[in-house]
Amino acid sequence: MSNPRYPDEFKIEAVRQVTERGIPVAEVAARLGMSTHSLYAWVKRYSKPEKQRVQEDDQQAELRRLRAELKRVTEERDTLKKGRRVLCQGVRLKYALISQLSADYSVRRLCLTLKVHASGYYAWLAEPKSARAKDDQRLLGLIKHSWLESGGVYGYRKIHDDLRELGEACGKHRVARLMRLEGLRSQTGYRRRPGRYGGKPPAASPNHLERRFNVTEPNKVWVTDITYIRTYEGWLYLAVVLDLFSRQVIGWSMKPQMTSDLAIDALLMAVWRRKPKQGVMIHSDQGSQFSSGDWQSFLKANNLLGSMSRRGNCHDNAVAESFFQLLKRERIRRKIYSTRQDARADVFDYIEMFYNPKRRHGFNNQLSPVELERQHLLSLESV
């Protein structure tokens, strides 16, 4: 069987195991089920600067980058014209835009374009914050303290109550505005709010799986789902694809936004790694990522049969839910991630370096997913 084609996301995390964690190449290659020759090639390639890799890989990529850069510069030029409409309601906002663009454009030209006096701008520059703005900054410090003390789960109502107990006379709408501008939100990720996702999805597939989770061979039934991981930078979304035969994670993707590309990239990794010769059933819930037109087109193009859980019934996709509970209990809830990259590296380590090759699974008679599939392949060869 030929080696599977791995996406760049997988290769970069594999190289980090060698370059940053110091794990020997042979050990990493053995755990990932690949040759040391391929891993050495990855280390050699991805240890180079990114600009050099882009130049070596594809001259067209450089051309696209230059076109994108030209478009960005053109848009920055047009910002001066668009500013008259966007910033017509607040002089201080115009001053802030002038200060932001003053490194690239003449201040007097910016003032003429935005129809403000240069003397007013320089006066604002000497004292840019009003008394109200200074009080907002002080109040924001108290809001951040209350939000962090709650573990990042409080919304503006609870934080407003905390401020009132401290003797601060402020309205809850002011608290909500400051939190929104700072990007502070209540914890709403791990449980879907009821009553906001009604209606029939654009493309729903029948429940072909019907909770038949015991599968006798690999690449017959896959399940997929998406979960949330909290970091200080914000949410990191993880999509996984598991083979029901061994419970092995055969595809995954992590992104800062939950879009259809997140689910498709995880499934694309599974197709690349497994290269199934027969049709495979892929089971999911009825989330918008799995009912999008791009998802349905990908299933048709790769001979995959879509199957969906019943509306609001998480037990129909219990295997994927069980894996996420295991991941959070054994790894995520034991850590505090400062950045999304820290979370990404830790999740990669858990899935590819521990769960798939090492972790004993009760469903597999205490064998790891990789070991169960290896023994299954040996039994087929001996027949």
Side-chain angles (χ1 to χ4, degrees):
M1 182 178 178
S2 61
N3 289 331
R5 180 182 177 187
Y6 296 92
D8 286 344
E9 185 179 18
F10 182 95
K11 294 177 183 178
I12 291 172
E13 294 299 336
V15 169
R16 284 198 177 103
Q17 303 298 312
V18 177
T19 58
E20 296 182 6
R21 300 191 61 195
I23 302 177
V25 172
E27 182 179 347
V28 175
R31 292 195 182 186
L32 297 181
M34 58 181 293
S35 66
T36 55
H37 176 77
S38 297
L39 188 54
Y40 273 121
W42 292 358
V43 172
K44 181 179 179 181
R45 178 170 182 256
Y46 287 94
S47 296
K48 297 178 181 179
E50 183 178 0
K51 184 177 180 180
Q52 182 179 352
R53 293 204 314 268
V54 171
Q55 291 175 346
E56 293 176 352
D57 287 345
D58 195 357
Q59 296 254 347
Q60 289 300 321
E62 179 68 7
L63 180 60
R64 289 194 297 268
R65 187 189 68 80
L66 292 174
R67 286 176 177 172
E69 183 71 8
L70 178 60
K71 182 180 179 181
R72 182 186 66 82
V73 172
T74 303
E75 289 175 349
E76 288 181 353
R77 180 199 62 193
D78 294 339
T79 300
L80 297 176
K81 298 179 180 178
K82 297 177 181 178
R84 284 197 295 266
R85 296 180 180 178
V86 176
L87 304 177
C88 62
Q89 295 182 354
V91 175
R92 290 184 178 273
L93 292 179
K94 295 181 182 180
Y95 290 159
L97 179 62
I98 293 172
S99 176
Q100 181 181 353
L101 299 178
S102 60
D104 301 320
Y105 302 99
S106 166
V107 171
R108 292 197 173 275
R109 175 58 60 188
L110 289 168
C111 291
L112 287 173
T113 304
L114 298 178
K115 296 183 179 180
V116 296
H117 291 286
S119 59
Y121 165 72
Y122 286 115
W124 172 87
L125 200 61
E127 187 66 32
K129 290 186 178 180
S130 64
R132 175 76 170 186
K134 291 179 180 179
D135 192 54
D136 280 350
Q137 202 67 24
R138 180 191 64 82
L139 193 61
L140 183 59
L142 298 176
I143 290 173
K144 286 183 177 179
H145 178 77
S146 176
W147 186 78
L148 291 173
E149 194 174 49
S150 73
V153 301
Y154 272 8
Y156 72 92
R157 294 180 180 87
K158 289 186 173 63
I159 290 181
H160 176 253
D161 292 338
D162 284 352
L163 296 179
R164 293 296 295 271
E165 286 186 1
L166 294 175
E168 292 290 335
C170 61
K172 63 180 181 180
H173 297 296
R174 184 182 182 188
V175 175
R177 174 178 60 83
L178 294 175
M179 290 183 65
R180 182 173 63 254
L181 293 176
E182 195 65 19
L184 305 179
R185 299 181 60 187
S186 61
Q187 194 281 104
T188 58
Y190 287 141
R191 184 173 183 179
R192 182 172 294 181
R193 291 183 178 179
R196 297 185 61 190
Y197 300 87
K200 189 176 181 181
S205 301
N207 187 355
H208 297 294
L209 183 60
E210 295 181 343
R211 301 193 189 181
R212 294 191 294 266
F213 300 134
N214 294 330
V215 180
T216 58
E217 59 183 288
N219 299 330
K220 189 173 182 180
V221 181
W222 299 344
V223 296
T224 182
D225 204 353
I226 299 174
T227 193
Y228 308 72
I229 301 171
R230 184 188 295 115
T231 75
Y232 281 145
E233 281 187 342
W235 293 109
L236 177 68
Y237 300 95
L238 166 67
V240 297
V241 179
L242 292 91
D243 192 315
L244 277 187
F245 171 73
S246 63
R247 275 34 176 190
Q248 181 176 349
V249 179
I250 58 176
W252 52 263
S253 181
M254 290 175 272
K255 298 183 186 298
Q257 291 89 27
M258 188 168 61
T259 62
S260 59
D261 289 340
L262 174 71
I264 292 174
D265 286 350
L267 187 54
L268 182 61
M269 182 186 291
V271 172
W272 276 345
R273 296 176 77 170
R274 290 307 184 104
K275 293 182 169 53
K277 297 179 181 179
Q278 73 281 357
V280 179
M281 181 192 302
I282 176 72
H283 184 81
S284 67
D285 59 26
Q286 294 191 26
S288 59
Q289 296 76 24
F290 305 113
S291 56
S292 67
D294 291 340
W295 175 266
Q296 298 297 328
S297 299
F298 186 90
L299 296 187
K300 293 178 182 178
N302 291 274
N303 194 24
L304 301 174
L305 174 64
S307 173
M308 284 187 173
S309 303
R310 291 168 294 175
R311 193 71 167 167
N313 196 322
C314 61
H315 301 291
D316 288 349
N317 202 13
V319 174
E321 296 286 349
S322 177
F323 169 77
F324 285 147
Q325 291 179 9
L326 195 67
L327 169 65
K328 292 174 181 178
R329 184 175 69 247
E330 294 185 348
R331 184 61 62 93
I332 292 175
R333 289 173 183 164
R334 297 172 179 264
K335 300 289 186 69
I336 297 176
Y337 302 117
S338 299
T339 65
R340 292 187 178 96
Q341 179 54 48
D342 291 343
R344 178 190 295 271
D346 200 37
V347 171
F348 176 90
D349 179 79
Y350 181 84
I351 292 176
E352 299 292 350
M353 308 297 289
F354 174 66
Y355 176 85
N356 280 344
K358 294 292 183 181
R359 191 189 183 282
R360 300 181 184 275
H361 203 296
F363 178 79
N364 298 339
N365 294 324
Q366 302 306 321
L367 297 176
S368 69
V370 171
E371 181 62 18
L372 179 68
E373 294 199 4
R374 188 186 71 84
Q375 293 190 12
H376 175 75
L377 183 60
L378 291 176
S379 65
L380 293 178
E381 293 175 350
S382 63
V383 174

